[in-house]
Amino acid sequence: MKEGDSDALANARSATYELIGRNVALYQRLEHILKALLPRVTVTAYAPADSPKDRTSDLENRKSAVQGATLGNLITRYEREICNLDEPEIREDPKEINLLRTLRRGFNSSADREAHIAKLRQLVADRNHLIHQLFAEETLRTPGDWHSTYSKLEEQAKKIESVNGDLLQYFKAIRIANSALSDPKITKKVFRNLD
């Protein structure tokens, strides 16, 4: 191997390793977004006598339920709790107004929903391949091999960034909804459809 070839190989390898690190960080960002989002999609309306401590405690319990979850488990929960087309479950406690309701994500069609879920599941498969199988399956001997892997990783990064951006927008909408629903008058209307 010529010196120029070894430099090209070293440069291609270095660039690929950087992108691997970037993609791992993007996947971690996706996990953090889901861990912030999932506890907040369940909205609780409280009786007037309930204290803010009750509200904080409920949210903290929901947060602790997702903290140790893997990306695959988070995506499964997201699909089950947010993308479900069934009517959201309403659970009433004996208190005057203490309801739990899950905010669902709207889709134009069931095909849109299925495409969204398939994209998320593919991200999990791609992440698992990146972490557990990339170097076991790829033959990386030449600069061209490294460049090919780099190109695949670039495409992967674009997909992760797109989903992260989409989920961040949804998270912002959920935060606005939660803020509005902290007003007892609004929650009474939303949960009981009363004037």
Side-chain angles (χ1 to χ4, degrees):
M1 185 181 293
K2 298 177 194 170
E3 186 175 323
D5 289 346
S6 66
D7 287 347
L9 181 62
N11 290 339
R13 183 181 299 136
S14 177
T16 302
Y17 283 144
E18 279 184 32
L19 195 50
I20 289 169
R22 178 175 173 217
N23 286 8
V24 168
L26 288 170
Y27 279 119
Q28 288 176 342
R29 177 87 170 125
L30 175 57
E31 285 183 6
H32 289 294
I33 293 167
L34 288 167
K35 287 176 181 180
L37 174 65
L38 287 167
R40 289 172 175 83
V41 296
T42 300
V43 178
T44 306
Y46 294 90
D50 288 342
S51 71
K53 183 180 177 185
D54 293 329
R55 299 169 194 208
T56 303
S57 175
D58 284 348
L59 180 59
E60 291 306 315
N61 289 338
R62 290 192 299 270
K63 283 180 181 179
S64 68
V66 297
Q67 284 314 303
T70 64
L71 181 60
N73 290 334
L74 292 167
I75 294 295
T76 299
R77 282 190 69 163
Y78 175 85
E79 178 182 345
R80 185 180 68 237
E81 295 175 22
I82 298 174
C83 298
N84 190 339
L85 295 179
D86 296 334
E87 276 300 309
E89 175 186 332
I90 300 176
R91 195 169 70 227
E92 292 192 46
D93 275 342
K95 296 179 182 178
E96 179 185 337
I97 301 176
N98 191 332
L99 302 165
L100 294 177
R101 185 169 217 168
T102 302
L103 300 174
R104 303 289 187 189
R105 182 158 187 169
F107 295 96
N108 292 328
S109 67
S110 59
D112 286 349
R113 176 192 172 273
E114 292 305 318
H116 180 72
I117 291 169
K119 183 184 349 177
L120 294 173
R121 288 179 181 167
Q122 186 61 51
L123 279 180
V124 173
D126 292 347
R127 181 247 172 229
N128 290 342
H129 180 268
L130 174 69
I131 300 300
H132 302 293
Q133 299 166 335
L134 179 66
F135 292 111
E137 292 180 0
E138 301 287 336
T139 305
L140 301 170
R141 293 189 187 111
T142 68
D145 296 336
W146 285 94
H147 287 297
S148 174
T149 299
Y150 182 90
S151 294
K152 292 174 191 173
L153 291 168
E154 265 188 333
E155 285 303 311
Q156 184 181 65
K158 289 176 187 174
K159 291 175 185 175
I160 306 164
E161 288 173 333
S162 172
V163 169
N164 284 355
D166 179 51
L167 289 177
L168 278 173
Q169 289 302 314
Y170 183 62
F171 177 68
K172 289 176 184 176
I174 292 297
R175 286 183 63 183
I176 291 168
N178 280 319
S179 178
L181 291 171
S182 67
D183 181 338
K185 291 177 186 173
I186 294 175
T187 55
K188 189 174 182 182
K189 283 186 177 191
V190 169
F191 284 95
R192 300 282 183 139
N193 295 321
L194 300 173
D195 291 327

